Amino acid sequence: MSHVPRAASVPDAPRVQGTVTVSLTDRVPAPNAHDLLASLVPPPQFAQARFATYQPDPAHPSQAAALARVEQVAAEVASASSRRLFGRRAARTEGRGLYLDGGYGVGKTHLLASLAHAVGQERAAYGTFVEYTHLVGALGFAACVEALSGFAVVGIDEFELDDPGDTLLMSRLLRELTDRGVRPVATSNTLPEALGAGRFAAEDFLREIQALAGRFDVLRLDGEDYRHRSGLPSGEAAGDDAVRAAVAAMPGASLDEFDGVLAHLARLHPSRYGALVDGLPLVGLTGAHPVDDDLVGLRLVVLVDRLYDRDVPVRLGGTAPRDIFSERMLSGGYRKKYYRALSRLGALTTRPVR
């Protein structure tokens, strides 16, 4: 496995109104391969997710059916592990994949996280589609396959089809893993307008993975978004002074100018964005403004995803969260990613600081 050097030291933190704070732009994390693999676990907001805590909607029987099927996968993996433990290991066969298809808020991620917890950290990897593509970029393809083939289950949340290159990469990765007997379990969201037309993403998914389609079972989860999310977050723009005051009241919080962070993200591999915000109690950004560049926007999406995974509150000064991405971007090919980021950023900017 290729080696990535450990994180460089972080410069002394600046002070804001007498309170020690930090700057994201002073942080240059460089997690090694072990750190990246160790991070493939359910995020904090799903740390307590279990099959027993999933509540299927009685009005949509497909949810209860999906719960039963994912529980079955966990039982099959446990049975195979038991046979190996007692020396009755059979030849490893092709891994049979599972694809959970549905709209926002029907519990797909809860089920995937519950599966990872049930199988155990040593036997199950859990990450988003983007995290796996970044892992390949950081480790190299062969080293990534070798590392992930040690798991019985590889969970892929939010499988994305909007980048042909990444989709081809993930299809190849899944082929290598299933050849080695690893069971991939993936989820994907369907855009609200597609759901309104009665169209889910499974057809697109099976077409894009082509030769692998026969190795996947598709489960469709119907239902309403339990959060009743409308898409764009509400709320007015905060002033920069309010952001500085919030940071000053929270020791260890970070404070940065928005454009400085965007420039810093361009210098870091996206696989490092999680380590960039690890341990922060609050992230403050001043001078925020709308962006109209997809390269910049996609980096910002990854940063928001990592902040959301770690449940880090954000205070944003200059513009409201709903206005961060331009109308062109919200109607383009990456709109699913941008809408997800807006929803998450809206939640983080209203989250209480603990």
Side-chain angles (χ1 to χ4, degrees):
M1 180 180 295
S2 60
H3 180 73
V4 182
R6 287 192 177 274
S9 60
V10 177
D12 292 337
R15 291 180 177 270
V16 176
Q17 299 179 17
T19 300
V20 176
T21 188
V22 300
S23 171
L24 293 181
T25 59
D26 287 338
R27 290 185 155 201
V28 187
N32 63 20
H34 178 270
D35 295 333
L36 292 172
L37 290 168
S39 70
L40 294 177
V41 296
Q45 67 265 40
F46 289 100
Q48 304 305 316
R50 299 294 186 274
F51 292 133
T53 61
Y54 180 73
Q55 299 179 0
D57 186 343
H60 298 281
S62 60
Q63 294 185 18
L67 170 62
R69 181 68 181 90
V70 180
E71 285 183 307
Q72 181 184 354
V73 171
E76 291 169 355
V77 171
S79 176
S81 297
S82 177
R83 289 196 300 272
R84 282 192 295 272
L85 181 64
F86 290 100
R88 299 194 299 271
R89 183 175 182 177
R92 206 169 185 184
T93 58
E94 287 183 357
R96 185 73 185 170
L98 188 64
Y99 176 80
L100 305 179
D101 187 30
Y104 294 105
V106 294
K108 301 183 304 299
T109 298
H110 187 124
L111 289 175
L112 188 63
S114 298
L115 174 63
H117 288 306
V119 173
Q121 188 171 345
E122 295 299 317
R123 301 288 293 150
Y126 176 106
T128 65
F129 178 93
V130 170
E131 286 179 299
Y132 286 112
T133 59
H134 291 164
L135 186 68
V136 172
L139 303 184
F141 186 83
C144 188
V145 170
E146 188 63 28
L148 293 178
S149 64
F151 294 101
V153 172
V154 169
I156 308 164
D157 200 23
E158 299 167 358
F159 202 101
E160 299 177 353
L161 301 170
D162 49 17
D163 186 305
D166 283 348
T167 302
L168 182 62
L169 173 67
M170 186 59 70
S171 179
R172 180 186 171 200
L173 179 64
L174 291 178
R175 183 171 65 250
E176 294 277 354
L177 293 176
T178 56
D179 282 348
R180 298 180 183 215
V182 179
R183 300 185 69 155
V185 180
T187 77
S188 183
N189 289 321
T190 304
L191 287 169
E193 62 266 27
L195 280 172
R199 180 177 177 275
F200 280 64
E203 182 181 336
D204 295 334
F205 172 78
L206 295 175
R207 182 185 66 249
E208 292 299 332
I209 64 172
Q210 298 175 17
L212 279 175
R215 302 186 192 181
F216 271 84
D217 297 324
V218 173
L219 291 180
R220 172 169 164 169
L221 282 76
D222 299 283
E224 302 298 324
D225 186 340
Y226 76 95
R227 293 158 296 202
H228 301 290
R229 186 170 59 209
S230 60
L232 290 173
S234 59
E236 301 299 322
D240 287 348
D241 287 343
V243 173
R244 295 187 186 98
V247 169
M250 177 54 61
S254 69
L255 179 65
D256 290 272
E257 196 273 331
F258 185 68
D259 282 333
V261 169
L262 295 183
H264 190 54
L265 295 179
R267 296 188 289 267
L268 293 177
H269 191 277
S271 64
R272 303 182 183 187
Y273 290 8
L276 181 67
V277 299
D278 273 341
L280 295 177
L282 174 70
V283 166
L285 297 172
T286 60
H289 58 81
V291 299
D292 189 32
D293 183 315
D294 284 314
L295 286 177
V296 174
L298 292 174
R299 294 187 197 108
L300 188 56
V301 166
V302 176
L303 178 65
V304 171
D305 282 344
R306 301 293 80 80
L307 287 166
Y308 187 79
D309 288 345
R310 287 155 177 78
D311 202 21
V312 179
V314 174
R315 297 297 178 262
L316 190 68
T319 193
R322 65 180 298 143
D323 297 323
I324 285 291
F325 301 119
S326 70
E327 288 298 325
R328 177 194 66 79
M329 295 167 72
L330 292 178
S331 61
Y334 297 115
R335 64 192 183 281
K336 184 188 294 186
K337 293 181 181 179
Y338 295 140
Y339 273 107
R340 183 182 75 232
L342 288 179
S343 177
R344 291 181 167 184
L345 185 59
L348 293 176
T349 55
T350 58
R351 189 146 299 172
V353 179
R354 293 185 294 272

PDB file of all heavy atoms in Angstrom, residues 16 23-24 238-248 254-262 283-290 314-319 324:
ATOM      1  N   VAL A  16      -8.687  35.955  18.830  1.00  0.00           N
ATOM      2  CA  VAL A  16      -9.802  36.830  18.509  1.00  0.00           C
ATOM      3  C   VAL A  16     -10.398  37.308  19.821  1.00  0.00           C
ATOM      4  O   VAL A  16     -10.918  36.495  20.598  1.00  0.00           O
ATOM      5  CB  VAL A  16     -10.868  36.098  17.674  1.00  0.00           C
ATOM      6  CG1 VAL A  16     -12.060  37.006  17.441  1.00  0.00           C
ATOM      7  CG2 VAL A  16     -10.278  35.658  16.344  1.00  0.00           C
ATOM      8  N   SER A  23      -7.266  28.885  12.362  1.00  0.00           N
ATOM      9  CA  SER A  23      -7.591  29.221  10.980  1.00  0.00           C
ATOM     10  C   SER A  23      -7.491  27.964  10.129  1.00  0.00           C
ATOM     11  O   SER A  23      -6.493  27.240  10.204  1.00  0.00           O
ATOM     12  CB  SER A  23      -6.630  30.294  10.455  1.00  0.00           C
ATOM     13  OG  SER A  23      -6.794  30.470   9.059  1.00  0.00           O
ATOM     14  N   LEU A  24      -8.512  27.711   9.329  1.00  0.00           N
ATOM     15  CA  LEU A  24      -8.462  26.566   8.426  1.00  0.00           C
ATOM     16  C   LEU A  24      -7.298  26.677   7.458  1.00  0.00           C
ATOM     17  O   LEU A  24      -6.683  25.672   7.086  1.00  0.00           O
ATOM     18  CB  LEU A  24      -9.775  26.460   7.643  1.00  0.00           C
ATOM     19  CG  LEU A  24     -11.038  26.119   8.435  1.00  0.00           C
ATOM     20  CD1 LEU A  24     -12.242  26.043   7.492  1.00  0.00           C
ATOM     21  CD2 LEU A  24     -10.885  24.814   9.196  1.00  0.00           C
ATOM     22  N   ALA A 238     -26.185  36.494   7.620  1.00  0.00           N
ATOM     23  CA  ALA A 238     -25.645  37.005   8.879  1.00  0.00           C
ATOM     24  C   ALA A 238     -24.534  38.010   8.584  1.00  0.00           C
ATOM     25  O   ALA A 238     -23.894  37.965   7.530  1.00  0.00           O
ATOM     26  CB  ALA A 238     -25.107  35.855   9.719  1.00  0.00           C
ATOM     27  N   GLY A 239     -24.302  38.924   9.520  1.00  0.00           N
ATOM     28  CA  GLY A 239     -23.225  39.883   9.374  1.00  0.00           C
ATOM     29  C   GLY A 239     -21.900  39.295   9.828  1.00  0.00           C
ATOM     30  O   GLY A 239     -21.850  38.391  10.672  1.00  0.00           O
ATOM     31  N   ASP A 240     -20.809  39.806   9.275  1.00  0.00           N
ATOM     32  CA  ASP A 240     -19.485  39.321   9.662  1.00  0.00           C
ATOM     33  C   ASP A 240     -19.212  39.543  11.142  1.00  0.00           C
ATOM     34  O   ASP A 240     -18.555  38.718  11.798  1.00  0.00           O
ATOM     35  CB  ASP A 240     -18.409  40.014   8.824  1.00  0.00           C
ATOM     36  CG  ASP A 240     -18.378  39.519   7.383  1.00  0.00           C
ATOM     37  OD1 ASP A 240     -19.022  38.491   7.084  1.00  0.00           O
ATOM     38  OD2 ASP A 240     -17.702  40.163   6.551  1.00  0.00           O
ATOM     39  N   ASP A 241     -19.700  40.645  11.698  1.00  0.00           N
ATOM     40  CA  ASP A 241     -19.479  40.915  13.120  1.00  0.00           C
ATOM     41  C   ASP A 241     -20.140  39.850  13.989  1.00  0.00           C
ATOM     42  O   ASP A 241     -19.594  39.446  15.024  1.00  0.00           O
ATOM     43  CB  ASP A 241     -20.011  42.294  13.499  1.00  0.00           C
ATOM     44  CG  ASP A 241     -19.137  43.427  12.953  1.00  0.00           C
ATOM     45  OD1 ASP A 241     -17.978  43.137  12.581  1.00  0.00           O
ATOM     46  OD2 ASP A 241     -19.614  44.575  12.910  1.00  0.00           O
ATOM     47  N   ALA A 242     -21.301  39.381  13.572  1.00  0.00           N
ATOM     48  CA  ALA A 242     -21.983  38.329  14.329  1.00  0.00           C
ATOM     49  C   ALA A 242     -21.186  37.028  14.292  1.00  0.00           C
ATOM     50  O   ALA A 242     -21.124  36.288  15.278  1.00  0.00           O
ATOM     51  CB  ALA A 242     -23.378  38.103  13.768  1.00  0.00           C
ATOM     52  N   VAL A 243     -20.558  36.752  13.148  1.00  0.00           N
ATOM     53  CA  VAL A 243     -19.725  35.549  13.031  1.00  0.00           C
ATOM     54  C   VAL A 243     -18.519  35.668  13.953  1.00  0.00           C
ATOM     55  O   VAL A 243     -18.177  34.731  14.689  1.00  0.00           O
ATOM     56  CB  VAL A 243     -19.274  35.344  11.574  1.00  0.00           C
ATOM     57  CG1 VAL A 243     -18.263  34.203  11.476  1.00  0.00           C
ATOM     58  CG2 VAL A 243     -20.477  35.063  10.681  1.00  0.00           C
ATOM     59  N   ARG A 244     -17.862  36.824  13.948  1.00  0.00           N
ATOM     60  CA  ARG A 244     -16.690  37.022  14.812  1.00  0.00           C
ATOM     61  C   ARG A 244     -17.068  36.888  16.285  1.00  0.00           C
ATOM     62  O   ARG A 244     -16.311  36.319  17.085  1.00  0.00           O
ATOM     63  CB  ARG A 244     -16.067  38.388  14.543  1.00  0.00           C
ATOM     64  CG  ARG A 244     -15.498  38.540  13.133  1.00  0.00           C
ATOM     65  CD  ARG A 244     -14.739  39.855  12.974  1.00  0.00           C
ATOM     66  NE  ARG A 244     -14.318  40.057  11.592  1.00  0.00           N
ATOM     67  CZ  ARG A 244     -14.961  40.811  10.715  1.00  0.00           C
ATOM     68  NH1 ARG A 244     -16.072  41.472  11.092  1.00  0.00           N
ATOM     69  NH2 ARG A 244     -14.508  40.937   9.496  1.00  0.00           N
ATOM     70  N   ALA A 245     -18.234  37.397  16.652  1.00  0.00           N
ATOM     71  CA  ALA A 245     -18.673  37.298  18.034  1.00  0.00           C
ATOM     72  C   ALA A 245     -18.918  35.845  18.435  1.00  0.00           C
ATOM     73  O   ALA A 245     -18.571  35.424  19.544  1.00  0.00           O
ATOM     74  CB  ALA A 245     -19.943  38.131  18.239  1.00  0.00           C
ATOM     75  N   ALA A 246     -19.518  35.068  17.542  1.00  0.00           N
ATOM     76  CA  ALA A 246     -19.769  33.655  17.829  1.00  0.00           C
ATOM     77  C   ALA A 246     -18.464  32.894  18.008  1.00  0.00           C
ATOM     78  O   ALA A 246     -18.331  32.051  18.909  1.00  0.00           O
ATOM     79  CB  ALA A 246     -20.600  33.030  16.714  1.00  0.00           C
ATOM     80  N   VAL A 247     -17.481  33.177  17.154  1.00  0.00           N
ATOM     81  CA  VAL A 247     -16.182  32.518  17.253  1.00  0.00           C
ATOM     82  C   VAL A 247     -15.473  32.927  18.543  1.00  0.00           C
ATOM     83  O   VAL A 247     -14.858  32.098  19.231  1.00  0.00           O
ATOM     84  CB  VAL A 247     -15.322  32.855  16.023  1.00  0.00           C
ATOM     85  CG1 VAL A 247     -13.883  32.398  16.225  1.00  0.00           C
ATOM     86  CG2 VAL A 247     -15.905  32.209  14.775  1.00  0.00           C
ATOM     87  N   ALA A 248     -15.559  34.221  18.899  1.00  0.00           N
ATOM     88  CA  ALA A 248     -14.893  34.707  20.107  1.00  0.00           C
ATOM     89  C   ALA A 248     -15.427  34.037  21.363  1.00  0.00           C
ATOM     90  O   ALA A 248     -14.712  33.896  22.354  1.00  0.00           O
ATOM     91  CB  ALA A 248     -15.063  36.218  20.218  1.00  0.00           C
ATOM     92  N   SER A 254     -12.742  28.040  14.600  1.00  0.00           N
ATOM     93  CA  SER A 254     -11.942  28.604  13.514  1.00  0.00           C
ATOM     94  C   SER A 254     -12.623  29.826  12.937  1.00  0.00           C
ATOM     95  O   SER A 254     -13.855  29.946  12.954  1.00  0.00           O
ATOM     96  CB  SER A 254     -11.715  27.562  12.408  1.00  0.00           C
ATOM     97  OG  SER A 254     -12.925  27.275  11.727  1.00  0.00           O
ATOM     98  N   LEU A 255     -11.815  30.745  12.438  1.00  0.00           N
ATOM     99  CA  LEU A 255     -12.320  31.953  11.793  1.00  0.00           C
ATOM    100  C   LEU A 255     -11.502  32.210  10.546  1.00  0.00           C
ATOM    101  O   LEU A 255     -10.272  32.303  10.604  1.00  0.00           O
ATOM    102  CB  LEU A 255     -12.226  33.159  12.727  1.00  0.00           C
ATOM    103  CG  LEU A 255     -12.703  34.492  12.147  1.00  0.00           C
ATOM    104  CD1 LEU A 255     -14.203  34.446  11.849  1.00  0.00           C
ATOM    105  CD2 LEU A 255     -12.390  35.646  13.093  1.00  0.00           C
ATOM    106  N   ASP A 256     -12.179  32.321   9.402  1.00  0.00           N
ATOM    107  CA  ASP A 256     -11.494  32.536   8.128  1.00  0.00           C
ATOM    108  C   ASP A 256     -12.343  33.398   7.225  1.00  0.00           C
ATOM    109  O   ASP A 256     -13.575  33.458   7.362  1.00  0.00           O
ATOM    110  CB  ASP A 256     -11.233  31.201   7.416  1.00  0.00           C
ATOM    111  CG  ASP A 256     -10.195  30.351   8.105  1.00  0.00           C
ATOM    112  OD1 ASP A 256      -9.002  30.515   7.814  1.00  0.00           O
ATOM    113  OD2 ASP A 256     -10.593  29.512   8.945  1.00  0.00           O
ATOM    114  N   GLU A 257     -11.669  34.014   6.279  1.00  0.00           N
ATOM    115  CA  GLU A 257     -12.350  34.734   5.210  1.00  0.00           C
ATOM    116  C   GLU A 257     -12.710  33.716   4.132  1.00  0.00           C
ATOM    117  O   GLU A 257     -11.920  32.830   3.799  1.00  0.00           O
ATOM    118  CB  GLU A 257     -11.427  35.832   4.687  1.00  0.00           C
ATOM    119  CG  GLU A 257     -12.101  36.899   3.858  1.00  0.00           C
ATOM    120  CD  GLU A 257     -12.161  36.485   2.391  1.00  0.00           C
ATOM    121  OE1 GLU A 257     -11.273  35.737   1.952  1.00  0.00           O
ATOM    122  OE2 GLU A 257     -13.104  36.922   1.699  1.00  0.00           O
ATOM    123  N   PHE A 258     -13.917  33.820   3.605  1.00  0.00           N
ATOM    124  CA  PHE A 258     -14.481  32.828   2.691  1.00  0.00           C
ATOM    125  C   PHE A 258     -13.560  32.556   1.501  1.00  0.00           C
ATOM    126  O   PHE A 258     -13.250  31.398   1.196  1.00  0.00           O
ATOM    127  CB  PHE A 258     -15.846  33.328   2.217  1.00  0.00           C
ATOM    128  CG  PHE A 258     -16.612  32.370   1.348  1.00  0.00           C
ATOM    129  CD1 PHE A 258     -17.123  31.187   1.849  1.00  0.00           C
ATOM    130  CD2 PHE A 258     -16.861  32.684   0.014  1.00  0.00           C
ATOM    131  CE1 PHE A 258     -17.850  30.310   1.060  1.00  0.00           C
ATOM    132  CE2 PHE A 258     -17.584  31.824  -0.791  1.00  0.00           C
ATOM    133  CZ  PHE A 258     -18.074  30.633  -0.275  1.00  0.00           C
ATOM    134  N   ASP A 259     -13.103  33.595   0.830  1.00  0.00           N
ATOM    135  CA  ASP A 259     -12.254  33.398  -0.348  1.00  0.00           C
ATOM    136  C   ASP A 259     -10.926  32.746   0.009  1.00  0.00           C
ATOM    137  O   ASP A 259     -10.368  31.983  -0.791  1.00  0.00           O
ATOM    138  CB  ASP A 259     -12.011  34.732  -1.064  1.00  0.00           C
ATOM    139  CG  ASP A 259     -13.196  35.167  -1.914  1.00  0.00           C
ATOM    140  OD1 ASP A 259     -13.951  34.281  -2.363  1.00  0.00           O
ATOM    141  OD2 ASP A 259     -13.380  36.379  -2.121  1.00  0.00           O
ATOM    142  N   GLY A 260     -10.412  33.026   1.203  1.00  0.00           N
ATOM    143  CA  GLY A 260      -9.170  32.386   1.631  1.00  0.00           C
ATOM    144  C   GLY A 260      -9.335  30.884   1.779  1.00  0.00           C
ATOM    145  O   GLY A 260      -8.449  30.108   1.406  1.00  0.00           O
ATOM    146  N   VAL A 261     -10.483  30.462   2.317  1.00  0.00           N
ATOM    147  CA  VAL A 261     -10.743  29.031   2.459  1.00  0.00           C
ATOM    148  C   VAL A 261     -10.912  28.375   1.095  1.00  0.00           C
ATOM    149  O   VAL A 261     -10.396  27.279   0.851  1.00  0.00           O
ATOM    150  CB  VAL A 261     -11.992  28.796   3.337  1.00  0.00           C
ATOM    151  CG1 VAL A 261     -12.433  27.342   3.285  1.00  0.00           C
ATOM    152  CG2 VAL A 261     -11.712  29.202   4.776  1.00  0.00           C
ATOM    153  N   LEU A 262     -11.618  29.045   0.186  1.00  0.00           N
ATOM    154  CA  LEU A 262     -11.785  28.472  -1.155  1.00  0.00           C
ATOM    155  C   LEU A 262     -10.437  28.274  -1.838  1.00  0.00           C
ATOM    156  O   LEU A 262     -10.207  27.256  -2.502  1.00  0.00           O
ATOM    157  CB  LEU A 262     -12.671  29.387  -2.008  1.00  0.00           C
ATOM    158  CG  LEU A 262     -14.126  29.552  -1.556  1.00  0.00           C
ATOM    159  CD1 LEU A 262     -14.885  30.434  -2.541  1.00  0.00           C
ATOM    160  CD2 LEU A 262     -14.826  28.202  -1.398  1.00  0.00           C
ATOM    161  N   VAL A 283     -17.028  26.434  13.010  1.00  0.00           N
ATOM    162  CA  VAL A 283     -16.316  27.028  11.878  1.00  0.00           C
ATOM    163  C   VAL A 283     -16.991  28.351  11.527  1.00  0.00           C
ATOM    164  O   VAL A 283     -18.197  28.383  11.251  1.00  0.00           O
ATOM    165  CB  VAL A 283     -16.310  26.086  10.657  1.00  0.00           C
ATOM    166  CG1 VAL A 283     -15.872  26.830   9.393  1.00  0.00           C
ATOM    167  CG2 VAL A 283     -15.386  24.900  10.905  1.00  0.00           C
ATOM    168  N   GLY A 284     -16.225  29.446  11.561  1.00  0.00           N
ATOM    169  CA  GLY A 284     -16.737  30.752  11.196  1.00  0.00           C
ATOM    170  C   GLY A 284     -16.149  31.216   9.876  1.00  0.00           C
ATOM    171  O   GLY A 284     -14.933  31.146   9.674  1.00  0.00           O
ATOM    172  N   LEU A 285     -17.005  31.675   8.967  1.00  0.00           N
ATOM    173  CA  LEU A 285     -16.571  32.160   7.661  1.00  0.00           C
ATOM    174  C   LEU A 285     -17.149  33.556   7.431  1.00  0.00           C
ATOM    175  O   LEU A 285     -18.369  33.737   7.505  1.00  0.00           O
ATOM    176  CB  LEU A 285     -17.038  31.214   6.549  1.00  0.00           C
ATOM    177  CG  LEU A 285     -16.483  29.783   6.585  1.00  0.00           C
ATOM    178  CD1 LEU A 285     -17.176  28.919   5.548  1.00  0.00           C
ATOM    179  CD2 LEU A 285     -14.977  29.788   6.354  1.00  0.00           C
ATOM    180  N   THR A 286     -16.300  34.514   7.145  1.00  0.00           N
ATOM    181  CA  THR A 286     -16.750  35.873   6.865  1.00  0.00           C
ATOM    182  C   THR A 286     -16.608  36.175   5.376  1.00  0.00           C
ATOM    183  O   THR A 286     -15.847  35.520   4.663  1.00  0.00           O
ATOM    184  CB  THR A 286     -15.930  36.898   7.666  1.00  0.00           C
ATOM    185  OG1 THR A 286     -14.540  36.778   7.308  1.00  0.00           O
ATOM    186  CG2 THR A 286     -16.083  36.666   9.161  1.00  0.00           C
ATOM    187  N   GLY A 287     -17.352  37.165   4.918  1.00  0.00           N
ATOM    188  CA  GLY A 287     -17.240  37.601   3.521  1.00  0.00           C
ATOM    189  C   GLY A 287     -17.742  36.595   2.513  1.00  0.00           C
ATOM    190  O   GLY A 287     -17.295  36.597   1.358  1.00  0.00           O
ATOM    191  N   ALA A 288     -18.683  35.738   2.904  1.00  0.00           N
ATOM    192  CA  ALA A 288     -19.208  34.743   1.963  1.00  0.00           C
ATOM    193  C   ALA A 288     -20.004  35.427   0.852  1.00  0.00           C
ATOM    194  O   ALA A 288     -20.626  36.471   1.059  1.00  0.00           O
ATOM    195  CB  ALA A 288     -20.096  33.741   2.688  1.00  0.00           C
ATOM    196  N   HIS A 289     -19.974  34.832  -0.321  1.00  0.00           N
ATOM    197  CA  HIS A 289     -20.659  35.388  -1.483  1.00  0.00           C
ATOM    198  C   HIS A 289     -21.016  34.255  -2.436  1.00  0.00           C
ATOM    199  O   HIS A 289     -20.469  33.151  -2.345  1.00  0.00           O
ATOM    200  CB  HIS A 289     -19.766  36.410  -2.191  1.00  0.00           C
ATOM    201  CG  HIS A 289     -18.444  35.830  -2.631  1.00  0.00           C
ATOM    202  ND1 HIS A 289     -18.290  35.089  -3.778  1.00  0.00           N
ATOM    203  CD2 HIS A 289     -17.217  35.870  -2.039  1.00  0.00           C
ATOM    204  CE1 HIS A 289     -17.045  34.702  -3.905  1.00  0.00           C
ATOM    205  NE2 HIS A 289     -16.353  35.151  -2.869  1.00  0.00           N
ATOM    206  N   PRO A 290     -21.931  34.486  -3.366  1.00  0.00           N
ATOM    207  CA  PRO A 290     -22.287  33.437  -4.328  1.00  0.00           C
ATOM    208  C   PRO A 290     -21.101  33.069  -5.208  1.00  0.00           C
ATOM    209  O   PRO A 290     -20.259  33.915  -5.537  1.00  0.00           O
ATOM    210  CB  PRO A 290     -23.413  34.073  -5.153  1.00  0.00           C
ATOM    211  CG  PRO A 290     -23.968  35.148  -4.273  1.00  0.00           C
ATOM    212  CD  PRO A 290     -22.798  35.675  -3.502  1.00  0.00           C
ATOM    213  N   VAL A 314     -21.628  25.754  11.744  1.00  0.00           N
ATOM    214  CA  VAL A 314     -21.003  26.770  10.883  1.00  0.00           C
ATOM    215  C   VAL A 314     -21.714  28.097  11.109  1.00  0.00           C
ATOM    216  O   VAL A 314     -22.944  28.138  11.253  1.00  0.00           O
ATOM    217  CB  VAL A 314     -21.099  26.372   9.398  1.00  0.00           C
ATOM    218  CG1 VAL A 314     -20.573  27.494   8.494  1.00  0.00           C
ATOM    219  CG2 VAL A 314     -20.340  25.075   9.139  1.00  0.00           C
ATOM    220  N   ARG A 315     -20.942  29.176  11.128  1.00  0.00           N
ATOM    221  CA  ARG A 315     -21.513  30.514  11.129  1.00  0.00           C
ATOM    222  C   ARG A 315     -21.004  31.219   9.876  1.00  0.00           C
ATOM    223  O   ARG A 315     -19.795  31.342   9.678  1.00  0.00           O
ATOM    224  CB  ARG A 315     -21.139  31.274  12.406  1.00  0.00           C
ATOM    225  CG  ARG A 315     -21.686  30.628  13.679  1.00  0.00           C
ATOM    226  CD  ARG A 315     -23.206  30.615  13.690  1.00  0.00           C
ATOM    227  NE  ARG A 315     -23.757  29.958  14.896  1.00  0.00           N
ATOM    228  CZ  ARG A 315     -24.175  28.709  14.938  1.00  0.00           C
ATOM    229  NH1 ARG A 315     -24.103  27.951  13.848  1.00  0.00           N
ATOM    230  NH2 ARG A 315     -24.662  28.202  16.046  1.00  0.00           N
ATOM    231  N   LEU A 316     -21.935  31.655   9.050  1.00  0.00           N
ATOM    232  CA  LEU A 316     -21.622  32.168   7.718  1.00  0.00           C
ATOM    233  C   LEU A 316     -21.997  33.639   7.630  1.00  0.00           C
ATOM    234  O   LEU A 316     -23.166  33.997   7.814  1.00  0.00           O
ATOM    235  CB  LEU A 316     -22.386  31.357   6.673  1.00  0.00           C
ATOM    236  CG  LEU A 316     -22.049  31.564   5.199  1.00  0.00           C
ATOM    237  CD1 LEU A 316     -20.653  31.047   4.897  1.00  0.00           C
ATOM    238  CD2 LEU A 316     -23.078  30.852   4.328  1.00  0.00           C
ATOM    239  N   GLY A 317     -21.025  34.490   7.356  1.00  0.00           N
ATOM    240  CA  GLY A 317     -21.291  35.918   7.236  1.00  0.00           C
ATOM    241  C   GLY A 317     -21.163  36.397   5.807  1.00  0.00           C
ATOM    242  O   GLY A 317     -20.270  35.971   5.076  1.00  0.00           O
ATOM    243  N   GLY A 318     -22.081  37.272   5.392  1.00  0.00           N
ATOM    244  CA  GLY A 318     -21.976  37.860   4.063  1.00  0.00           C
ATOM    245  C   GLY A 318     -23.127  37.512   3.155  1.00  0.00           C
ATOM    246  O   GLY A 318     -23.618  38.366   2.417  1.00  0.00           O
ATOM    247  N   THR A 319     -23.548  36.252   3.159  1.00  0.00           N
ATOM    248  CA  THR A 319     -24.679  35.844   2.326  1.00  0.00           C
ATOM    249  C   THR A 319     -25.394  34.681   2.991  1.00  0.00           C
ATOM    250  O   THR A 319     -24.804  33.969   3.817  1.00  0.00           O
ATOM    251  CB  THR A 319     -24.208  35.440   0.914  1.00  0.00           C
ATOM    252  OG1 THR A 319     -25.335  35.331   0.043  1.00  0.00           O
ATOM    253  CG2 THR A 319     -23.461  34.118   0.933  1.00  0.00           C
ATOM    254  N   ILE A 324     -25.478  30.605  -1.866  1.00  0.00           N
ATOM    255  CA  ILE A 324     -24.062  30.314  -2.105  1.00  0.00           C
ATOM    256  C   ILE A 324     -23.798  29.891  -3.546  1.00  0.00           C
ATOM    257  O   ILE A 324     -22.799  30.269  -4.153  1.00  0.00           O
ATOM    258  CB  ILE A 324     -23.570  29.228  -1.128  1.00  0.00           C
ATOM    259  CG1 ILE A 324     -23.393  29.831   0.267  1.00  0.00           C
ATOM    260  CG2 ILE A 324     -22.269  28.593  -1.590  1.00  0.00           C
ATOM    261  CD1 ILE A 324     -22.254  30.817   0.375  1.00  0.00           C
TER     262      ILE A 324
END
